[in-house]
Amino acid sequence: MELLDYPFMQRALLSALLIGLAAPAVGIYLVQRRQALMGDGIGHVALTGVALGFLLNASPVWMAVAVSAVGAVAMELLRSSGRARGDVALAMLFYGGMAGGVMIVNLAPGGSTANLTSYLWGSVTTVSPSDITAIMVLSALVLLVTVGLRRQLFAVCQDEEFARVTGLPVRTLNLLLAITAAATVTVAMRVVGLLLVSALMVIPVVAAQQISRGFAATFALAVGFGVLVAVAGTSTSYYADVPPGATIVLLAIGLFALISVLALPLARRRARRAPGAVAAERPADPVPAGRP
């Protein structure tokens, strides 16, 4: 446990723990509404916020929170208004955010794209005490929303029209989920990186779906898997001297593959118990003689 002797690793492991909790907690709703790549789009917009932080000599983390929240809200408004399809809005976030970040960081005094490397791919050595404070505050807000409003968010992500009929504030909940996703992306960028954070939001969720059916069980398993791969990947990156973001994502993919293999017997058992399968296996009733 020598890695705990170093303050930078203590901060990195604490941030990895918080990221592992927050990312799947938001990702389960994005997967449910088929917006698994939303985290990527927000990550590209957050890059513009990081670059603005360098240009204005402000905190890149909090600037990224503000800019990515605006981008996520704009995307949600475009999607819900019907003026642009969700994939078109997502594409605009991808390209506009990346281009804006590269342009702005080169306008900053002494700035270059090299300043963005740790934010793009993550780095355990760059997590500062002020970053830990921001990560703790944002993670607490994310968990408060995703756990405290889980019934309402589940209803909206499952069927917006039904949720609207029941009286839920669908527009407000959609915007709140978009802002929460933006906060999650900025929480994870110091360790996982902006270009890989979406994987930590999605892969633990789809892995949990392989072995669970209820929402509560899937939520708990996804968060557990997220914490496991985030902490294990950060520790591995210290000992193997490899990038933490890539290590975390590869561990998550490996965990998904392992669970998928182990879940095959369970999936076959469920298929046999399905009503259609039972009907197909039941022999047809014999036709009485003399009748067509």
Side-chain angles (χ1 to χ4, degrees):
M1 301 298 291
E2 66 178 77
L3 75 168
L4 294 179
D5 295 334
Y6 302 98
F8 76 91
M9 279 307 301
Q10 295 173 8
R11 294 191 294 268
L13 288 172
L14 178 58
S15 59
L17 174 65
L18 295 172
I19 292 164
L21 289 170
V26 175
I28 191 170
Y29 299 106
L30 300 182
V31 171
Q32 187 178 0
R33 68 191 302 175
R34 294 178 177 84
Q35 288 184 319
L37 293 179
M38 183 177 181
D40 276 331
I42 296 175
H44 286 69
V45 174
L47 187 65
T48 299
V50 172
L52 279 174
F54 286 113
L55 179 64
L56 303 177
N57 197 24
S59 170
V61 174
W62 290 111
M63 190 64 69
V65 171
V67 174
S68 59
V70 171
V73 168
M75 175 185 168
E76 175 58 31
L77 292 176
L78 286 171
R79 184 194 68 84
S80 61
S81 66
R83 296 177 183 175
R85 295 180 302 171
D87 56 345
V88 175
L90 190 61
M92 289 190 291
L93 284 175
F94 265 71
Y95 307 127
M98 182 65 74
V102 172
M103 180 65 69
I104 292 172
V105 77
N106 280 279
L107 295 176
S112 69
T113 53
N115 299 113
L116 301 177
T117 302
S118 63
Y119 293 92
L120 289 172
W121 306 108
S123 175
V124 294
T125 61
T126 59
V127 182
S128 65
S130 60
D131 290 336
I132 285 293
T133 302
I135 291 171
M136 291 177 66
V137 171
L138 293 172
S139 297
L141 293 175
V142 168
L143 292 174
L144 182 64
V145 171
T146 55
V147 176
L149 298 176
R150 62 188 182 279
R151 297 182 185 276
Q152 293 88 339
L153 291 175
F154 176 82
V156 170
C157 294
Q158 187 73 16
D159 190 337
E160 282 194 10
E161 293 303 322
F162 177 77
R164 188 173 287 109
V165 169
T166 58
L168 288 176
V170 173
R171 172 64 65 84
T172 302
L173 290 171
N174 281 331
L175 293 177
L176 183 61
L177 182 60
I179 295 173
T180 305
T184 304
V185 169
T186 53
V187 161
M189 68 181 180
R190 291 305 253 162
V191 174
V192 184
L194 292 173
L195 297 183
L196 298 175
V197 61
S198 186
L200 191 58
M201 299 171 71
V202 173
I203 297 176
V205 175
V206 296
Q209 288 177 339
Q210 303 297 312
I211 55 178
S212 62
R213 303 188 69 177
F215 177 79
T218 303
F219 188 99
L221 276 174
V223 169
F225 291 157
V227 171
L228 175 64
V229 297
V231 174
T234 303
S235 302
T236 303
S237 69
Y238 168 79
Y239 289 110
D241 193 22
V242 291
T247 307
I248 291 171
V249 172
L250 290 175
L251 284 178
I253 294 174
L255 179 64
F256 169 76
L258 177 62
I259 291 177
S260 297
V261 172
L262 296 177
L264 281 177
L266 180 61
R268 291 171 181 168
R269 194 179 308 119
R270 288 175 179 171
R272 286 193 221 101
R273 293 177 180 176
V278 173
E281 293 176 359
R282 183 182 302 161
D285 294 333
V287 178
R291 294 185 183 180

